Amino acid sequence: MLRKARAIGFAFSDPAGFAKALTDATKGLEAIKIKGGFMGKTTLKPADVKALASLPPLPIMRAQLLGLLQAPASKLVRTLAEPGRSLAFVVKVHADQAAPATA
């Protein structure tokens, strides 16, 4: 007769990473099931733990957030620089057309 085993895990710095490691370790094992969890003062259901496990690692989340914050500034810089770039292109084309005629 199989006995039901119980286990508790703690993650102090990266709860998403811990949830992912726990989910990956128990994948395919019938005897071990995730019943829920706690994060801070919040109770997590098994679906919440799986959702937490599906999040990317913390460094990737930080990089994505930084990219989102930086994108509008980059677009603004490109928009402001475009008229000067277009003018420089027109001047270069005219200079290239005039150069063979004088030579």
Side-chain angles (χ1 to χ4, degrees):
M1 183 167 141
L2 291 173
R3 294 180 57 185
K4 293 184 180 180
R6 296 188 179 154
I8 296 175
F10 295 95
F12 296 103
S13 62
D14 187 10
F18 178 75
K20 182 169 180 60
L22 186 64
T23 302
D24 290 345
T26 60
K27 188 180 286 186
L29 299 175
E30 294 289 326
I32 301 174
K33 296 188 192 264
I34 297 173
K35 298 286 188 174
F38 292 99
M39 188 167 66
K41 295 182 180 180
T42 306
T43 304
L44 301 175
K45 297 177 181 153
D48 298 333
V49 174
K50 287 185 181 184
L52 187 63
S54 68
L55 291 174
L58 190 58
I60 292 175
M61 289 286 285
R62 286 181 178 155
Q64 289 174 346
L65 178 62
L66 182 62
L68 285 173
L69 294 174
Q70 195 176 20
S74 298
K75 288 179 183 178
L76 176 65
V77 168
R78 281 194 302 267
T79 302
L80 293 175
E82 186 59 35
R85 189 175 310 136
S86 297
L87 179 64
F89 179 73
V90 169
V91 169
K92 183 178 184 301
V93 168
H94 283 296
D96 290 344
Q97 288 176 350
T102 58

